[in-house]
Amino acid sequence: MDRKTVESYKGVCAQIVAEKARKVSDTVSASSAEYPYGKHTLTITGTEDNPHSQKLHKLQRLKESIEEAVESIPDADGVTKAVISLHAISDIPWGEMAAKMGYSYTIDGLKKIYQRGMKKYF
């Protein structure tokens, strides 16, 4: 897996949400419920609930493979794994990430760890 694919995680998640929310519509012929029973056309709209959609399936597989690639970073390099996971997968801002790590790392230090980790593993 390459760096661009890992960094596209947020976009893949957004595409999955968009694909699930995609609207579909159809027109049908209907008649009035009361006399004179006139025929008219109705438009029905809703979301497509097709779990077998090839595009959705492909996006979900890509999302899972990115998550697995980040998880496959060796545990011996735990700080790098945590930084890559927090930034690429969880989309946590650098300042918030420094706070979560107890301010033992600066924002610039975390960015450097991320850059080195991405270069080494992806």
Side-chain angles (χ1 to χ4, degrees), residues 55-88:
K55 184 176 181 182
L56 181 61
H57 186 64
K58 180 181 172 187
L59 288 167
Q60 288 174 333
R61 281 195 325 246
L62 179 58
K63 178 185 174 203
E64 290 169 4
S65 67
I66 293 170
E67 291 169 349
E68 288 172 5
V70 171
E71 275 301 311
S72 71
I73 295 173
D75 286 336
D77 205 359
V79 174
T80 302
K81 182 177 182 176
V83 170
I84 291 173
S85 178
L86 288 172
H87 183 69

Side-chain angles (χ1 to χ4, degrees), residues 99-117:
K100 283 183 182 256
M101 298 183 86
Y103 290 106
S104 56
Y105 296 95
T106 64
I107 293 172
D108 290 334
L110 291 173
K111 288 179 182 179
K112 195 61 157 175
I113 291 169
Y114 177 79
Q115 291 170 351
R116 288 180 181 156

